C-alpha cells in the first residue's frame, strides 16, 4: 500500500517563506551595498544579470527574473512544485528588495573589504534560501538538465559556466574587478556550505576487525556512540565478517583511534567526511 505523505503545515510554510525573505534581503544588501558600488559581481545568473545591468538600461531585478524563469520552468519536473514556488518567491523578493537599496551609497569603497564582507553576506543569504527549499540561481538547474545528455557532472558544468562569466566580466569591468569577483564567488560558496550544512564537523567511520564485538562494546561504553554492524565478506579469503559503522565528531577521532589501538591495533580503519547527520540518537557531545 503506498504511503500517504503529509502536507506541509501552514505555520511551518509561513516560517519557511519568512526565512526565504530574510535570505533574499541579505543577498540584496550584499549586491547593492557591497558588490555593485565596487563593480564586483557574483557567478551564475546573478553575475550575468549584473553584467547586463552594467551594459544595458534594463534593471538588474528584471534581468534576474527573466533569465531565471526559463530554467525554473524547464526544471519543474526535476525539482518539484514546492521548490519551484519557493524559488520564484525568492527571486522575485530579491528583485523587489534591491530596488530601494540601489540609490544608497556603498558601505565600503575598498574592493577587498567589499569582496570579503559582500561575499559572506551574499553566501549567507543564498544559503538561507537554499536551506529553506528555494534557490536564487537557475544555473545549477540548467546543469542538471544539460548533464543528462553531456558527459559532465553538475559541478563541472557550473564551474565551466562561471569561468565564461568571469572572463566576460574581465572584458567588461576590468581584469582586476574580475579577480575580485572570483574571490567573492569563492567566499560566497564556502559561506553557503556553512549555512546549509552547519558548523558541526562529523565523520563517518568504518572499521574492519576480528574483534568487532569487543570494539563495538568499547566504542559504546568509552565514547558513548552507538554503532551499526554491517555484514560483509572479505574479497581475498572470501570469509564472512562484521564491519562496524559509527558516526563521531572531529574531536572524538583521536579517542576512537586510541580505543582501536587498545583492542586491535591491526584493525582496518576508514574515516570519511559527512555533510549532515540527522535522526537517531546522535548528539554532538564531547566525552
Amino acid at each position: 500500500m503506498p504511503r500517504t505523505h503529509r502536507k506541509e503545515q501552514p505555520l511551518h510554510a509561513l516560517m519557511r517563506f519568512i526565512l526565504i525573505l530574510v535570505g533574499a534581503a541579505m543577498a540584496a544588501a550584499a549586491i547593492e551595498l557591497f558588490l555593485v558600488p565596487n563593480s564586483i559581481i557574483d557567478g551564475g545568473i546573478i553575475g550575468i544579470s549584473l553584467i547586463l545591468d552594467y551594459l544595458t538600461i534594463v534593471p538588474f531585478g528584471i534581468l534576474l527574473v527573466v533569465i531565471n524563469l526559463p530554467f525554473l520552468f524547464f526544471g519543474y519536473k526535476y525539482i518539484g512544485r514546492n521548490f519551484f514556488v519557493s524559488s520564484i518567491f525568492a527571486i522575485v523578493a530579491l528583485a523587489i528588495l534591491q530596488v530601494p537599496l540601489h540609490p544608497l551609497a556603498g558601505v565600503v569603497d575598498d574592493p577587498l573589504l567589499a569582496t570579503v564582507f559582500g561575499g559572506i553576506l551574499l553566501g549567507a543569504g543564498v544559503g538561507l534560501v537554499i536551506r529553506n527549499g528555494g534557490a536564487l540561481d537557475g544555473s545549477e538547474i540548467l546543469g542538471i538538465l544539460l548533464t543528462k545528455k553531456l558527459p559532465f557532472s553538475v559541478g563541472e558544468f557550473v564551474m565551466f559556466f562561471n569561468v565564461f562569466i568571469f572572463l566576460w566580466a574581465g572584458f567588461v569591468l576590468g581584469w582586476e574587478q574580475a579577480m575580485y569577483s572570483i574571490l567573492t564567488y569563492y567566499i560566497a560558496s564556502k559561506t553557503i556550505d556553512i549555512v546549509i550544512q552547519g558548523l558541526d564537523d562529523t565523520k563517518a567511520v568504518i572499521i574492519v576487525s576480528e574483534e568487532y564485538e569487543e570494539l563495538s562494546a568499547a566504542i559504546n561504553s568509552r565514547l558513548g556512540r552507538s554503532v551499526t554492524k554491517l555484514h560483509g565478506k572479505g574479497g581475498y579469503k572470501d570469509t564472512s565478517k562484521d564491519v562496524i559503522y559509527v558516526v563521531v565528531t572531529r574531536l572524538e577521532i583521536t579517542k576512537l583511534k586510541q580505543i582501536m589501538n587498545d583492542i586491535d591495533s591491526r584493525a582496518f580503519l576508514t574515516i570519511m567526511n559527512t555533510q549532515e547527520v540527522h535522526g537517531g540518537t546522535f548528539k554532538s557531545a564531547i566525552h
Side-chain angles (χ1 to χ4, degrees), residues 19-130:
L19 290 173
I20 289 175
L21 186 62
V22 171
M26 293 169 67
I31 292 168
E32 294 296 343
L33 301 181
F34 288 90
L35 304 187
V36 169
N38 291 278
S39 299
I40 298 170
I41 68 167
D42 184 35
I45 305 301
I46 291 177
I48 292 176
S49 301
L50 287 172
I51 295 176
L52 290 175
D53 177 53
Y54 182 83
L55 292 174
T56 68
I57 60 172
V58 184
F60 164 75
I62 294 176
L63 289 166
L64 182 70
V65 174
V66 170
I67 297 173
N68 265 308
L69 275 178
F71 303 139
L72 292 177
F73 279 119
F74 284 130
Y76 179 86
K77 67 177 182 178
Y78 298 107
I79 58 180
R81 179 179 176 276
N82 285 342
F83 187 90
F84 175 80
V85 173
S86 300
S87 298
I88 291 291
F89 175 78
I91 292 167
V92 172
L94 172 57
I96 294 173
L97 291 170
Q98 63 87 32
V99 173
L101 295 174
H102 188 68
L104 301 179
V107 175
V108 294
D109 55 11
D110 183 333
L112 183 58
L113 289 176
T115 294
V116 173
F117 289 98
I120 292 173
L121 186 59
L122 178 62
V126 173
L128 193 59
V129 171
I130 295 173

Side-chain angles (χ1 to χ4, degrees), residues 202-206 245-248 270-274:
T202 54
K203 307 288 182 181
V205 181
I206 293 177
Y245 175 84
V246 62
V247 177
V248 298
T270 304
I271 300 174
M272 300 169 288
N273 291 324
T274 59

